[in-house]
Amino acid sequence: MAANKIIAKIEEEASKDKADILAQAQKKAATVREKVLASAESSVESIKAQAKNSAEEAGRRQVLIAELESRKKTLNSQRQILEEVFAKAEEELNKLPQDKWEKLITSIVLGASETGAEKLHVPAADLAKYQTGFLAKLNAALVASGKKGSLTLSDVPAKFKGGVELEGQTTDYDGSFASLLKDIRQKEERHVAAMLFGTEVK
C-alpha cells in the first residue's frame, strides 16, 4: 500500500512537472511567435517604405528625364530658328538694291583696306558691277581717305555668294557676307535669342 502511494505521488509530481514544462514551453513559444511576427511586420513595413521610396524616386527620375527631354527639344527648336534667321539675313544681303549694296561694300573695303592697293576677289555675279564703274568709285573713296586707291580685280571669281575679299601683300580680309554674319552671330547670338525667345540659347 505504501508503495502504491509513493508511486501515485511520483506520478502526481510528474504530472505537475509535465504541466509546468508544457505551460512554460507554450509561453516561450508564444513569446517567440510574437517576436517573429513583430520582426516580420517590421520587415514588411521596411519593404513597403523602400518600395514607396523607390517608386517616388523612379517617378522623380521620370519627371526629370521628361523635363530634360523637353528642354532639349526646345533648345533644338530655338537653334533651328536662329539658323533660319541668320540664313534669311544672308539671303537679304545678297538681294540688296544697288545703292545699298554699294554702300555696304564700300564700308567693308574702306574698313579692311590697309594700303588701298589690294586685289579684290568678288563673286562672278557681281563682277560686272565693278567693271562698269564701281571699282573706280571704291578707288576714289580710298584716295579720299588717304590711301592709294589702286585696287584691282582678281581674275579668279570668289566662291562665296556675296561680299568681297581683299588680298593684301601680307594679310587677306574675308569680307564675304557669310563670314560677316558669322562674326556678328558669335557676338550677338545671345542678344538675338533674347529678343526672339526672351531667353539666351546656350
Side-chain angles (χ1 to χ4, degrees), residues 9-65:
K9 184 68 174 176
I10 291 172
E11 289 178 347
E12 183 182 348
E13 290 297 329
S15 179
K16 285 183 180 179
D17 290 343
K18 181 180 177 182
D20 289 341
I21 290 170
L22 182 60
Q24 288 178 8
Q26 288 175 338
K27 185 177 180 180
K28 187 174 182 180
T31 300
V32 170
R33 185 170 61 253
E34 288 176 0
K35 287 183 178 180
V36 170
L37 287 173
S39 177
E41 288 176 359
S42 176
S43 296
V44 168
E45 291 303 318
S46 176
I47 290 170
K48 284 182 179 179
Q50 289 178 3
K52 182 180 179 182
N53 290 337
S54 296
E56 290 176 352
E57 180 62 28
R60 284 193 292 269
R61 194 177 296 115
Q62 289 297 322
V63 170
L64 179 60
I65 291 172

Side-chain angles (χ1 to χ4, degrees), residues 2-202:
N4 289 337
K5 286 184 179 180
I6 291 170
I7 291 170
K9 184 68 174 176
I10 291 172
E11 289 178 347
E12 183 182 348
E13 290 297 329
S15 179
K16 285 183 180 179
D17 290 343
K18 181 180 177 182
D20 289 341
I21 290 170
L22 182 60
Q24 288 178 8
Q26 288 175 338
K27 185 177 180 180
K28 187 174 182 180
T31 300
V32 170
R33 185 170 61 253
E34 288 176 0
K35 287 183 178 180
V36 170
L37 287 173
S39 177
E41 288 176 359
S42 176
S43 296
V44 168
E45 291 303 318
S46 176
I47 290 170
K48 284 182 179 179
Q50 289 178 3
K52 182 180 179 182
N53 290 337
S54 296
E56 290 176 352
E57 180 62 28
R60 284 193 292 269
R61 194 177 296 115
Q62 289 297 322
V63 170
L64 179 60
I65 291 172
E67 289 176 347
L68 289 174
E69 188 64 25
S70 175
R71 176 167 172 75
K72 181 181 176 181
K73 289 181 179 178
T74 298
L75 288 174
N76 285 338
S77 296
Q78 290 177 346
R79 288 193 187 99
Q80 182 62 36
I81 291 171
L82 281 173
E83 290 291 339
E84 292 173 2
V85 166
F86 282 96
K88 183 67 175 176
E90 183 177 357
E91 184 182 325
E92 292 299 318
L93 285 176
N94 288 324
K95 295 192 301 185
L96 283 175
Q98 182 69 20
D99 58 336
K100 291 184 178 180
W101 177 85
E102 288 188 6
K103 185 176 181 180
L104 177 57
I105 296 297
T106 301
S107 176
I108 293 171
V109 171
L110 289 177
S113 175
E114 294 180 343
T115 64
E118 289 83 5
K119 182 179 290 186
L120 303 183
H121 294 266
V122 303
D126 293 339
L127 188 59
K129 297 177 184 179
Y130 289 86
Q131 293 173 333
T132 55
F134 183 54
L135 182 61
K137 289 182 182 180
L138 285 175
N139 280 321
L142 284 168
V143 170
S145 68
K147 296 177 182 177
K148 286 184 179 180
S150 55
L151 297 173
T152 56
L153 288 172
S154 170
D155 295 331
V156 181
K159 295 181 180 179
F160 47 80
K161 289 183 178 180
V164 59
E165 181 180 17
L166 285 77
E167 179 186 343
Q169 291 183 343
T170 57
T171 59
D172 298 338
Y173 177 78
D174 184 357
S176 65
F177 294 157
S179 293
L180 294 176
L181 283 171
K182 183 179 179 180
D183 291 341
I184 291 171
R185 182 169 182 172
Q186 289 177 342
K187 296 174 184 176
E188 302 293 336
E189 183 174 80
R190 290 187 175 186
H191 179 62
V192 173
M195 287 192 298
L196 289 173
F197 316 117
T199 184
E200 294 182 355
V201 176
K202 297 179 180 179

